[in-house]
Amino acid sequence: MSGTLVIAGLGPGDEALVTPQVSAALARASDIIGYIPYVARISPRPGLRLHPSDNRVELDRARHALELAAGGAHVVVVSSGDPGVFAMAAAVFEALEDASTAWADLQIEVLPGITAMLAAAAAAGAPLGHDFCAINLSDNLKPFDLVLKRIRLALEGDFAMAFYNPRSKSRPHQFAEVLETLRQGAGPERLVIFARAVSTPEQAIRVVPLFEARPEMADMRTVVIIGASNTRQVGRYTYTPRRV
Amino acid sequence: MSGTLVIAGLGPGDEALVTPQVSAALARASDIIGYIPYVARISPRPGLRLHPSDNRVELDRARHALELAAGGAHVVVVSSGDPGVFAMAAAVFEALEDASTAWADLQIEVLPGITAMLAAAAAAGAPLGHDFCAINLSDNLKPFDLVLKRIRLALEGDFAMAFYNPRSKSRPHQFAEVLETLRQGAGPERLVIFARAVSTPEQAIRVVPLFEARPEMADMRTVVIIGASNTRQVGRYTYTPRRV
């Protein structure tokens, strides 16, 4: 019997944001693979093997998933959010490309999920209501200069922006540089949304003008959304109009 | 009794992509408002009033929703995909801002959904696996020159791109201009994904190098994804590696 490999997005945290498609895949799985806190979201049941692993071992985890599936298992790799947005889907295809052709015929399916920026935007109003960019601020896999270049170009194009992985203990100064780059290209009243732990009981949404934004307002559980020039507030909602 | 207004995303088409959160909101609703084909996706039940309306009347529809909610109804405005991405959420906040303060205390909630580009990306592999932009190609609400400017900047930043509303009968030449702009800034082998009617029985995913891309490969039911310079194919999957 041939195995299968599904890469599924669990959404940002709230179980009511897990799609029925993903729930059905989890119910059929023999093996669940993923980063520890994501695997912890899966209810144990007889016959289901859980394989939690540490952060920053995405390629090892992807190879493990491919091996198990090639051996006949029904594997679900779980990501938070959407697996195709700064998550496990690309890592699985990287591992597939690096590997021998032994896995070439494996059936792989990616199941989308609610990615953090969309849940954050919904919680704030509609700040991504017009053209926008999604940028991963981590320099783990790309030079930090490229991050700053992309931010400058997005400002020039007046895109709204969503930043993933804005800040970590290993690179405390970089988010300050990001804020400085924003100040060079946008006015002091540009709206900045810090959306922490979206859709969980710890959710906190804070909207400040750029001149009040401070690096310590973000951590690794925060998605930061930068408004376009016409992003505005109406009552307690922040939104970007559809017309420029 | 005070009413409520929920703006909910139905996802791209497959009912298995509707979140439980949205299903619960629909079950509590007294009134459903939206574009005809989206309202057609809601199962009728006693006591539920359906208010389908034509396209291009977003502001009228938004005002109608606000009026009904202010009158005590439990209104759900339905969008396809995610309501915050080129959909009804921004229109509701525009109507709220234009209005008198009579609606200022109304409770408005946006419920995220699976937006078309994420379902399209998942069906193709992981082409949005690194930094990307989402651009609405319609010139209905912005000058077309701004569309082309944003595409040029996104190419300069080597973002992947997702195009919504790539082509309509009222502006048949513009998507040809978009392809020409891409050819000026990207090599002929740059990968282009035409994802039509994603997650429906008519789903069709076509991946071609830029030099083979033709305007007639897209219509209004198509999301077009442009790869970054390192977007590649492995087997039948198209993906963007996490490292540059």
Side-chain angles (χ1 to χ4, degrees):
Chain A
M1 199 181 84
S2 73
T4 55
L5 176 52
V6 171
I7 312 156
L10 298 178
D14 184 345
E15 295 309 308
L17 293 177
V18 180
T19 67
Q21 187 184 54
V22 167
S23 296
L26 293 169
R28 281 191 306 267
S30 63
D31 294 81
I32 307 285
I33 290 184
Y35 178 38
I36 296 162
Y38 309 148
V39 174
R41 290 179 54 187
I42 308 303
S43 303
R45 58 176 162 78
L48 179 67
R49 289 174 294 272
L50 302 177
H51 308 270
S53 51
D54 205 351
N55 207 353
R56 295 218 174 181
V57 294
E58 288 86 358
L59 273 180
D60 293 342
R61 190 187 294 148
R63 279 188 289 262
H64 185 201
L66 287 159
E67 277 166 15
L68 285 176
H74 295 288
V75 181
V76 178
V77 175
V78 290
S79 272
S80 78
D82 181 285
V85 177
F86 312 127
M88 280 302 295
V92 169
F93 294 119
E94 286 169 33
L96 188 67
E97 191 175 3
D98 289 347
S100 70
T101 54
W103 295 334
D105 292 332
L106 207 58
Q107 188 203 316
I108 302 176
E109 199 180 1
V110 182
L111 305 185
I114 303 290
T115 186
M117 68 177 168
L118 297 187
L128 303 178
H130 206 64
D131 300 341
F132 64 93
C133 300
I135 304 177
N136 188 339
L137 297 195
S138 168
D139 68 346
N140 190 22
L141 295 162
K142 70 183 165 195
F144 189 63
D145 281 351
L146 182 57
V147 172
L148 296 180
K149 177 184 174 180
R150 285 177 175 166
I151 291 171
R152 283 190 204 102
L153 290 165
L155 283 169
E156 191 181 338
D158 201 13
F159 287 94
M161 288 174 246
F163 295 153
Y164 284 72
N165 302 316
R167 195 160 174 257
S168 74
K169 283 177 193 154
S170 63
R171 46 188 175 88
H173 305 299
Q174 289 183 344
F175 189 57
E177 273 191 75
V178 165
L179 290 177
E180 183 51 38
T181 301
L182 291 168
R183 287 188 187 106
Q184 288 163 12
E189 303 293 335
R190 182 68 63 99
L191 292 175
V192 179
I193 301 167
F194 293 92
R196 187 171 187 280
V198 172
S199 91
T200 77
E202 298 88 47
Q203 173 175 310
I205 308 290
R206 186 172 184 176
V207 186
V208 299
L210 181 54
F211 75 89
E212 286 182 11
R214 299 282 170 269
E216 57 274 15
M217 292 177 182
D219 64 12
M220 284 308 270
R221 294 189 71 193
T222 308
V223 169
V224 181
I225 294 177
I226 312 298
S229 62
N230 63 342
T231 301
R232 63 189 76 195
Q233 292 184 291
V234 52
R236 59 189 176 282
Y237 310 104
T238 304
Y239 84 101
T240 303
R242 299 163 304 150
R243 65 175 74 233
V244 293
Chain B
M1 200 181 83
S2 73
T4 55
L5 176 52
V6 171
I7 311 156
L10 298 178
D14 184 345
E15 296 309 309
L17 293 177
V18 180
T19 67
Q21 187 184 54
V22 167
S23 297
L26 293 170
R28 282 192 306 267
S30 63
D31 294 80
I32 307 284
I33 289 183
Y35 178 39
I36 297 161
Y38 309 149
V39 174
R41 288 179 55 187
I42 309 303
S43 304
R45 58 177 161 77
L48 180 67
R49 288 176 293 272
L50 302 178
H51 307 270
S53 51
D54 205 351
N55 208 353
R56 295 218 173 181
V57 294
E58 288 87 357
L59 273 180
D60 293 341
R61 191 188 293 148
R63 278 188 288 262
H64 185 202
L66 287 159
E67 277 165 15
L68 286 175
H74 295 289
V75 181
V76 177
V77 175
V78 289
S79 272
S80 78
D82 180 285
V85 177
F86 311 128
M88 278 302 294
V92 169
F93 294 119
E94 286 169 33
L96 187 67
E97 192 176 2
D98 290 347
S100 71
T101 54
W103 295 334
D105 292 332
L106 207 58
Q107 189 202 315
I108 302 176
E109 200 180 2
V110 181
L111 305 185
I114 302 291
T115 185
M117 68 178 168
L118 297 186
L128 302 178
H130 206 63
D131 299 341
F132 64 93
C133 300
I135 303 177
N136 188 339
L137 297 194
S138 168
D139 68 347
N140 190 22
L141 295 163
K142 69 183 166 198
F144 189 63
D145 281 351
L146 182 58
V147 172
L148 296 179
K149 177 184 174 181
R150 286 177 173 165
I151 292 170
R152 284 190 203 102
L153 290 165
L155 283 168
E156 192 181 337
D158 201 13
F159 286 94
M161 288 174 247
F163 295 154
Y164 284 72
N165 301 316
R167 195 160 175 257
S168 73
K169 283 177 193 155
S170 63
R171 46 189 176 87
H173 304 299
Q174 291 183 343
F175 189 58
E177 271 190 76
V178 165
L179 290 176
E180 183 51 35
T181 300
L182 290 168
R183 287 188 187 106
Q184 287 163 12
E189 303 293 335
R190 181 68 63 100
L191 292 176
V192 180
I193 300 167
F194 293 91
R196 186 170 189 280
V198 172
S199 90
T200 76
E202 299 88 47
Q203 174 176 308
I205 308 289
R206 185 170 184 178
V207 187
V208 299
L210 181 54
F211 76 89
E212 285 183 13
R214 299 283 170 269
E216 57 274 18
M217 292 177 182
D219 64 13
M220 284 307 271
R221 294 189 72 193
T222 308
V223 169
V224 181
I225 294 177
I226 313 297
S229 62
N230 63 343
T231 301
R232 64 190 73 196
Q233 291 183 292
V234 53
R236 59 189 176 282
Y237 311 104
T238 304
Y239 85 102
T240 303
R242 299 163 305 150
R243 64 175 74 235
V244 293

